[in-house]
Amino acid sequence: MKDILKAYPEPKPAATTIATLLKRMQNKELAGYTMYGNSREYYPKIEKGKYFKEEMTFMIDRFFNSSVTQFASFFTSNAKLSQKQLK
């Protein structure tokens, strides 16, 4: 956890905040750890791409009635995209 805290810029979150997030990630089977003495080395239990895909699918299902078209329409109408980017 010390390494995680070091990676944050100032103002750093409280150690208890990081511990809570790690515990939640473990409960959701997203992260695990290996004990080395009194220290824990955390590691991901799911690939980033798989996690992103699952979260995006959940968001599209929940907020856009499972419609990828509605999702795309929402973001293209609310983003400042050039005509070239829209194509």
Side-chain angles (χ1 to χ4, degrees):
M1 193 162 61
K2 290 177 187 177
D3 292 337
I4 294 171
L5 280 169
K6 284 180 190 176
Y8 275 90
E10 293 294 337
K12 296 184 182 299
T16 54
T17 301
I18 300 299
T20 299
L21 291 172
L22 289 169
K23 183 65 176 167
R24 287 180 181 171
M25 291 172 72
Q26 290 171 56
N27 290 343
K28 293 179 179 183
E29 296 290 320
L30 299 174
Y33 65 88
T34 304
M35 290 295 294
Y36 295 101
N38 292 336
S39 298
R40 293 178 182 180
E41 179 181 63
Y42 291 92
Y43 58 87
K45 292 178 85 173
I46 186 171
E47 293 178 7
K48 183 178 180 179
K50 182 178 179 185
Y51 173 78
F52 185 76
K53 181 181 177 184
E54 288 175 6
E55 288 300 309
M56 290 303 296
T57 300
F58 173 76
M59 185 179 75
I60 291 168
D61 290 347
R62 184 170 181 197
F63 297 108
F64 299 98
N65 300 316
S66 301
S67 171
V68 175
T69 305
Q70 285 182 16
F71 170 76
S73 176
F74 173 81
F75 280 100
T76 55
S77 65
N78 288 297
K80 295 178 182 175
L81 301 172
S82 68
Q83 288 297 322
K84 184 178 178 183
Q85 290 171 318
L86 285 171
K87 288 181 184 180

